[in-house]
Amino acid sequence: MGYIGEHLLPGQLGHFFIVLSLVSSAVAAFAYFKSANAVSEQNALSWKKLGRYAFFTDVFSVIAIFILLFYIIHSHYFEYKYAWQHTSLSLEVRYMLASFWEGQEGSFLLWTFWHCVLGLVLIKRSKEWEAPVLSVLSFVQFCLATMIAGLYIFGWKLGSNPFILLRDSGVLDNAPALHMNLDITQPLKPDYLSFITDGNDLNPLLQNYWMVIHPPALFLGFASTVVPFAFAVAGLWKNKFSEWTKPALPWALFSAAALGTGIMMGAAWAYESLTFGGYWAWDPVENASLVPWLVMIAGIHCLLIYRHSGHSLRVTHLFLILSFSLVLYSTFLTRSGILGDTSVHAFTDMGMNWQLIGFMAVCILPALLLFAARYKQIPSIQKEENATSREFWMFIGSLVLFLSAMLIIGKTSLPAFVKIAPPEDPEFAYNRIQVLVAVVVALLTAITHYMKYKQTSRSFFWKKIWLPTLISVVISSLILLFGNINYYKYGYGFLGSIWLAIACSVYSIIANGAYFIDKLRKSSKLSGGTLAHVGFAMMLLGILISSSKKEVLSYNTSGIAINFGDASKEESGENLTLVKDVRTDMGKYWVTYEGSEKNPKKPLWYYNVKFENKSGKEKFVLQPNAFINYKGNEGLMANPASEHYWDHDIYTYITSLPDPTKNRDTAQFVNKTLKPGDTTFYSKGYFILEKVMTRDSIPTKEGIDPNGRASLAIIKVHSQNNSTYTAQPLLVNRGGALYAVPDTVVSQNLIFAINSVQGDKVNMGVKEPNTILDYLTLKAYRFPFINILWLGVIVMVIGIIMSMVKHIRRMNREAVAGK
Amino acid sequence: MKKVHIILLVLIAGAIAVLVSFLKASTTYDSIDSAKAKAGKYVHVIARLDRSQPIEYDALKDPNYLSFTAIDSLGKTVKVVYRNAKPENLESSEHLVLKGDYENDHFECKEIMMKCPSKYKDDMNAAEKNIRETTQTEPIENQTAEKRIN
């Protein structure tokens, strides 16, 4: 039966190319495998040719899938589930790529796409390593292709296909309006598509430029870890334990740069536009990407040790294998849903857990078994490293990084396997250990460049290092003395560790910086490695200072919002409510909520919040925004805004907004019970009940009534334009009959009437005809020196890339010389 | 024994000690009854919002006070106090992970994690709801026409 208005061709082509990529990657893996194992030269060459053609076919298929899926998204073909689920007609074109990789299928595609790019470069450059390396890469490509295959094999669902139609996906099964006779057991109406007028859209939290650029960077990082892995496996496989290290080094450096950039882009995104209150929270998703990076860094250092001294070759193999393995393990952790209760990210179980476990098993186990089988054959030096040698301390540093990575991933995974919940303060559980790692790593990076490989004479070391050491001692003392770094929350032990880590980071920046300048001056060589260390130490320093000095600005301690009722007698919270146009006290600032604007196309609201420094020198308006009741997402989804300074950021986001249903009819008296001193907001300011008095002998129309009594409330009204008014409503008691005598503050459109008085408590009605109380609740933070962190990332990545370029140039020179 | 081996042993011993201390510091998932039994001890409680009871939150009165009733899978209920802004999707949440401890008459919650249909990614519930809502306003003529054809 046909349906009206469907575009089936792109989907059919998509299915075809998915199958083609599956087959061609399998052929490529097999052909390259035969080529690598071939005995005769000619045999190897013909298999390699076949492998290349198969790989090119795979690349072509992946690109075709990419284009077709993007075409479906871009054309709003809502008959496809992917387009319907991730886009809408109002979605800006610039976010279409974001919706492409919002789904799991799209992110797998992105991953496999980067493998294609890396594979093409490898074919062009890696010469005799092409066959074994591409064999491994094509095998991984095959595994990734199964993830989007959507095939059923003996009743097992293999992968999730992005080209599935909406009507086949089950989404429409419970919508009677779309079925014949309004009966969901009947087939769909032929014109069902005319009812699907709009898609479900990209999640509003992800409608953000970071979502466009972060996943490609991160997945390039993930994808690139396969290359050093493939080289290490190829070396083991071909019994060429040493030769692979040379071509693998630039790739490992590239991977470190790409993955590092990807991770820190995620941190910047979390900081800039998600309301997690910072850039890093030791969340499983973050840890899962950090750990492979740490192991890759450890692997690179071991690789350098081997290239310079012949030590540590075995552990180099292990680390580079593990780095990729950890990428796969992370994929499993974050996509299987097994950590669902421990993370702010809601993982979804796609019913692919066994497939993900299978993916890990077929990649990791053979590699580790091969490593175990060849372990004895891998050359190693029996004589141990001299304790004054560079390689000794580099190795210790790598070991510390590796163990720290194992601790992080262990802590992250434990709740998935043991029935325990994360600790009370999960961030501190990581921080108190990692701050020590920071101390050791920063110290080692500071001194190790001043040592030589093999051994270092004492005089050489001290001659070079005394000046940077002295400068560092002076600078870090100044920071610690005048920087006010007093983070007592976890006691003096932790504060001491932070101080030590800050000092070591400063030492590392200065020592590496001095080394870099020295080298540049003496031999006009750019030392990328030292520059990367400077960047890394800057990151550490930025992290340490910004997180230990992070300040909550919106503490509800002073001003007017504090003494409302019993609940707020408890410790003050981090949320502050601002009533429109009422200037409110917030620490160093006066803040005013000045009004809101709506996005013309979507239920997205921008709130103007004015910050004025009490010193009068600083004034700015921040515009945090929020989606309200968007496409089945009830409530509010907020995006923060921040004001950047060179040395700190002011950061704010909305935590609560009024419920419009409660505010609808304000022309009623709103009853409140107040004591003297209590403060209440109204739409244009606030008022304070000053006192309650009782009067005898009240004047009446008929003259003084000596038996009459009246309660009188004196209310001070403070309006937004700083005028004050007094209102004096009365409650008259004449012989047991009560009469309320309301009082009106005309200019404020405010009416007060007393209902009853008990002791000093007054129950009072307040009426504001024809106005709606507009307010918002927000949190605000001050992050000092966060820019050191971002600058550090940039410096580190530049340093790593410089080092990579240097090694590639050297290889090219040697290749030319060799000919 | 080589120096490296000694350092390796020390580091591994340290790592094990850290993991053990982590296990000790880790908390448990509890039901409402067992959380009450362990009053004062920090636990994770998995429960749902009891929609039959009112949610108390007034940002004008105090933006840092939220109180509601939670009900767990065993049907036990507890009053929850959370001294922070009301998470906006509390009402639409499917289940809640409440972190905190039981004190006197209520569960003092330090952190709430909401598992919402649609909060972050591909959950289809919100999507289906969206479809139902957008297809609800179907014109009557259409339905009668449909019936005539059949």
Side-chain angles (χ1 to χ4, degrees):
Chain A
M1 169 175 157
Y3 293 99
I4 300 163
E6 289 185 340
H7 306 77
L8 296 179
L9 184 65
Q12 284 158 353
L13 283 173
H15 280 288
F16 168 74
F17 281 113
I18 283 177
V19 174
L20 186 63
S21 79
L22 199 64
V23 173
S24 57
S25 52
V27 171
F30 180 73
Y32 272 126
F33 178 83
K34 291 293 275 184
S35 169
N37 274 356
V39 194
S40 79
E41 186 102 338
Q42 202 184 350
N43 220 343
L45 210 62
S46 60
W47 277 115
K48 188 157 99 174
K49 217 171 193 176
L50 178 63
R52 274 191 187 180
Y53 286 133
F55 191 79
F56 291 151
T57 312
D58 184 37
V59 172
F60 182 75
S61 318
V62 169
I63 291 172
I65 297 168
F66 218 91
I67 291 172
L68 285 165
L69 189 58
F70 188 74
Y71 174 71
I72 286 172
I73 289 173
H74 189 264
S75 320
H76 302 295
Y77 286 164
F78 295 135
E79 55 268 42
Y80 293 96
K81 184 187 157 209
Y82 206 83
W84 172 80
Q85 190 180 357
H86 300 292
T87 68
S88 77
L89 294 175
S90 66
L91 187 70
E92 291 90 337
V93 176
R94 63 176 184 273
Y95 295 142
M96 292 215 166
L97 280 171
S99 51
F100 187 101
W101 36 74
E102 185 194 19
Q104 303 245 18
E105 298 88 347
S107 58
F108 273 125
L109 263 175
L110 189 58
W111 191 352
T112 197
F113 170 77
W114 284 125
H115 276 170
C116 291
V117 174
L118 297 170
L120 292 177
V121 179
L122 279 166
I123 288 177
K124 187 144 186 349
R125 289 200 50 98
S126 50
K127 303 189 183 73
E128 77 270 23
W129 290 101
E130 179 185 335
V133 168
L134 261 290
S135 176
V136 174
L137 183 66
S138 302
F139 180 69
V140 178
Q141 276 292 76
F142 172 74
C143 295
L144 283 175
T146 65
M147 294 291 166
I148 54 164
L151 298 174
Y152 284 87
I153 297 169
F154 305 120
W156 280 65
K157 188 179 169 227
L158 196 66
S160 168
N161 191 308
F163 294 105
I164 192 167
L165 291 171
L166 186 58
R167 61 177 151 92
D168 294 332
S169 69
V171 175
L172 307 180
D173 291 357
N174 295 318
L178 301 179
H179 290 257
M180 302 267 207
N181 300 332
L182 302 178
D183 178 357
I184 53 169
T185 58
Q186 297 276 318
L188 287 169
K189 292 176 186 175
D191 63 341
Y192 82 97
L193 201 53
S194 62
F195 298 104
I196 313 282
T197 49
D198 202 356
N200 201 43
D201 210 353
L202 178 63
N203 185 312
L205 281 178
L206 306 178
Q207 292 187 19
N208 185 292
Y209 64 98
W210 288 105
M211 182 62 190
V212 182
I213 56 173
H214 164 63
L218 187 65
F219 276 96
L220 177 58
F222 282 158
S224 61
T225 57
V226 80
V227 185
F229 168 83
F231 270 107
V233 169
L236 291 170
W237 172 8
K238 301 302 294 169
N239 287 318
K240 292 179 179 170
F241 303 113
S242 170
E243 291 90 330
W244 67 271
T245 55
K246 198 188 279 181
L249 180 58
W251 283 105
L253 288 167
F254 174 73
S255 188
L259 192 52
T261 311
I263 296 168
M264 291 318 290
M265 267 184 167
W269 178 14
Y271 174 71
E272 286 273 314
S273 47
L274 297 171
T275 49
F276 300 164
Y279 49 84
W280 197 263
W282 297 110
D283 187 83
V285 171
E286 297 164 343
N287 296 349
S289 53
L290 175 68
V291 166
W293 185 79
L294 287 174
V295 176
M296 179 61 76
I297 297 295
I300 289 172
H301 284 85
C302 291
L303 190 57
L304 287 168
I305 294 172
Y306 173 71
R307 306 277 318 147
H308 286 103
S309 72
H311 285 282
S312 308
L313 184 55
R314 287 173 174 168
V315 77
T316 305
H317 281 90
L318 182 67
F319 282 174
L320 293 182
I321 289 172
L322 281 182
S323 178
F324 173 68
S325 306
L326 284 163
V327 166
L328 295 184
Y329 178 63
S330 307
T331 307
F332 167 68
L333 273 189
T334 52
R335 293 185 193 229
S336 65
I338 55 171
L339 286 176
D341 282 332
T342 64
S343 166
V344 291
H345 296 76
F347 301 112
T348 40
D349 183 348
M350 296 179 83
M352 284 171 41
N353 288 6
W354 287 107
Q355 194 178 351
L356 288 166
I357 291 172
F359 184 18
M360 279 197 294
V362 297
C363 293
I364 301 172
L365 287 182
L368 288 179
L369 285 175
L370 190 63
F371 175 67
R374 300 282 156 88
Y375 183 78
K376 290 263 181 242
Q377 298 171 43
I378 302 173
S380 81
I381 297 175
Q382 284 310 308
K383 192 178 159 293
E384 80 165 310
E385 300 94 330
N386 191 315
T388 63
S389 71
R390 189 188 275 192
E391 60 265 28
F392 180 77
W393 294 105
M394 269 170 92
F395 182 70
I396 300 299
S398 307
L399 214 55
V400 170
L401 281 181
F402 178 72
L403 284 176
S404 128
M406 291 301 106
L407 278 180
I408 295 171
I409 200 72
K411 287 179 182 179
T412 310
S413 323
L414 268 179
F417 301 108
V418 193
K419 206 181 151 26
I420 55 160
E424 180 168 354
D425 190 343
E427 290 187 26
F428 180 60
Y430 288 98
N431 287 339
R432 70 197 179 102
I433 302 306
Q434 299 308 325
V435 71
L436 300 177
V437 172
V439 170
V440 175
V441 170
L443 196 60
L444 287 176
T445 52
I447 59 167
T448 310
H449 270 284
Y450 290 89
M451 297 186 180
K452 289 179 166 174
Y453 286 107
K454 314 283 186 209
Q455 69 173 50
T456 318
S457 74
R458 208 162 274 192
S459 59
F460 173 85
F461 180 70
W462 288 115
K463 201 178 109 192
K464 292 258 179 173
I465 208 166
W466 73 267
L467 187 61
T469 309
L470 189 68
I471 297 172
S472 308
V473 168
V474 172
I475 290 185
S476 28
S477 311
L478 287 176
I479 291 180
L480 295 177
L481 277 177
F482 300 107
N484 262 333
I485 296 162
N486 35 22
Y487 186 71
Y488 295 125
K489 192 175 164 193
Y490 297 107
Y492 285 97
F494 190 58
L495 181 63
S497 312
I498 291 178
W499 281 15
L500 197 57
I502 288 176
C504 291
S505 309
V506 170
Y507 189 21
S508 178
I509 295 173
I510 289 169
N512 279 296
Y515 190 88
F516 182 80
I517 293 167
D518 191 49
K519 195 130 193 212
L520 190 65
R521 222 183 41 205
K522 286 204 179 121
S523 53
S524 68
K525 268 190 196 151
L526 289 167
S527 171
T530 32
L531 194 62
H533 286 141
V534 172
F536 182 74
M538 283 169 76
M539 281 170 67
L540 287 181
L541 187 67
I543 290 167
L544 287 161
I545 296 186
S546 68
S547 40
S548 61
K549 280 185 70 76
K550 172 180 152 185
E551 257 178 77
V552 178
L553 292 176
S554 52
Y555 263 133
N556 214 338
T557 47
S558 53
I560 43 186
I562 188 70
N563 44 20
F564 290 102
D566 311 330
S568 59
K569 280 175 195 152
E570 302 289 330
E571 63 179 304
S572 53
E574 296 185 0
N575 298 278
L576 188 66
T577 294
L578 303 178
V579 175
K580 185 161 177 266
D581 292 324
V582 179
R583 201 169 77 149
T584 307
D585 187 330
M586 189 177 85
K588 281 199 307 191
Y589 295 93
W590 291 109
V591 283
T592 317
Y593 162 42
E594 296 189 308
S596 55
E597 294 153 33
K598 187 179 176 296
N599 183 306
K601 281 172 109 182
K602 357 179 131 182
L604 172 63
W605 294 80
Y606 303 92
Y607 299 88
N608 295 316
V609 182
K610 186 167 79 182
F611 284 67
E612 290 164 285
N613 198 316
K614 285 179 184 167
S615 68
K617 279 185 196 141
E618 182 193 5
K619 192 160 137 185
F620 53 89
V621 175
L622 287 181
Q623 211 175 43
N625 64 49
F627 280 92
I628 297 169
N629 296 329
Y630 192 54
K631 303 243 180 198
N633 295 296
E634 271 161 44
L636 126 132
M637 299 172 113
N639 286 311
S642 45
E643 179 77 3
H644 302 284
Y645 292 92
W646 72 271
D647 64 339
H648 71 274
D649 280 8
I650 304 290
Y651 173 98
T652 188
Y653 63 92
I654 312 265
T655 54
S656 178
L657 289 168
D659 184 351
T661 54
K662 282 186 190 157
N663 251 324
R664 212 163 270 156
D665 192 2
T666 48
Q668 301 283 324
F669 271 108
V670 180
N671 292 320
K672 297 176 190 301
T673 305
L674 300 172
K675 312 193 289 302
D678 282 358
T679 311
T680 308
F681 282 113
Y682 70 105
S683 65
K684 292 176 197 143
Y686 61 96
F687 55 83
I688 301 169
L689 176 62
E690 293 232 305
K691 54 182 152 174
V692 184
M693 300 189 306
T694 316
R695 278 199 188 149
D696 298 327
S697 309
I698 46 169
T700 66
K701 264 190 277 182
E702 304 100 46
I704 305 285
D705 178 358
N707 300 322
R709 286 164 57 85
S711 299
L712 169 72
I714 298 181
I715 298 158
K716 266 262 160 37
V717 178
H718 298 258
S719 81
Q720 63 198 42
N721 48 20
N722 295 327
S723 311
T724 46
Y725 308 89
T726 308
Q728 301 191 349
L730 289 167
L731 184 69
V732 181
N733 185 339
R734 290 183 69 186
L738 295 170
Y739 306 92
V741 183
D743 196 9
T744 307
V745 181
V746 179
S747 74
Q748 297 299 302
N749 210 356
L750 199 58
I751 307 167
F752 298 97
I754 301 178
N755 301 326
S756 64
V757 178
Q758 272 192 338
D760 66 343
K761 278 197 184 137
V762 183
N763 185 288
M764 192 164 58
V766 183
K767 183 153 87 172
E768 277 188 85
N770 307 323
T771 49
I772 287 175
L773 191 58
D774 190 2
Y775 64 90
L776 56 79
T777 305
L778 54 68
K779 278 189 190 184
Y781 297 105
R782 179 178 188 273
F783 282 101
F785 291 103
I786 186 105
N787 286 334
I788 303 179
L789 169 61
W790 307 133
L791 189 64
V793 175
I794 295 167
V795 171
M796 183 182 77
V797 169
I798 291 175
I800 297 177
I801 290 174
M802 271 163 52
S803 171
M804 180 182 91
V805 169
K806 186 182 86 185
H807 285 288
I808 293 175
R809 285 216 178 119
R810 186 182 293 164
M811 265 166 58
N812 289 348
R813 269 203 310 276
E814 284 170 8
V816 171
K819 271 178 194 164
Chain B
M1 219 154 131
K2 291 185 184 179
K3 283 190 284 293
V4 170
H5 290 159
I6 297 166
I7 290 174
L8 191 67
L9 279 179
V10 170
L11 286 176
I12 288 175
I16 291 170
V18 166
L19 270 188
V20 168
S21 77
F22 179 78
L23 270 175
K24 272 195 187 145
S26 67
T27 56
T28 47
Y29 287 107
D30 280 283
S31 67
I32 286 175
D33 270 352
S34 62
K36 280 181 181 171
K38 296 181 192 170
K41 193 169 180 309
Y42 191 92
V43 291
H44 287 53
V45 172
I46 299 181
R48 280 179 297 117
L49 174 69
D50 185 351
R51 290 184 169 77
S52 64
Q53 301 294 321
I55 296 174
E56 191 192 318
Y57 183 70
D58 184 352
L60 280 176
K61 200 173 155 208
D62 183 350
N64 295 300
Y65 182 85
L66 164 71
S67 141
F68 61 90
T69 307
I71 180 166
D72 69 5
S73 54
L74 304 169
K76 293 288 181 334
T77 59
V78 68
K79 182 186 170 195
V80 179
V81 172
Y82 177 56
R83 293 180 207 284
N84 211 323
K86 180 169 80 76
E88 275 296 322
N89 38 17
L90 179 69
E91 288 95 335
S92 59
S93 63
E94 227 164 43
H95 76 265
L96 307 166
V97 182
L98 305 168
K99 306 177 184 178
D101 60 339
Y102 188 78
E103 289 173 8
N104 305 326
D105 60 335
H106 67 274
F107 188 78
E108 181 76 30
C109 189
K110 300 285 183 329
E111 202 184 332
I112 302 182
M113 229 154 48
M114 258 140 320
K115 292 294 153 182
C116 288
S118 86
K119 167 69 180 161
Y120 215 157
K121 279 212 173 150
D122 311 7
D123 209 291
M124 296 313 292
N125 293 343
E128 283 181 18
K129 190 172 157 222
N130 187 22
I131 273 243
R132 279 200 297 278
E133 277 167 9
T134 49
T135 54
Q136 252 162 19
T137 49
E138 187 191 19
I140 305 285
E141 302 83 41
N142 223 343
Q143 294 176 13
T144 47
E146 192 72 49
K147 289 227 169 80
R148 259 203 309 280
I149 293 166
N150 292 321

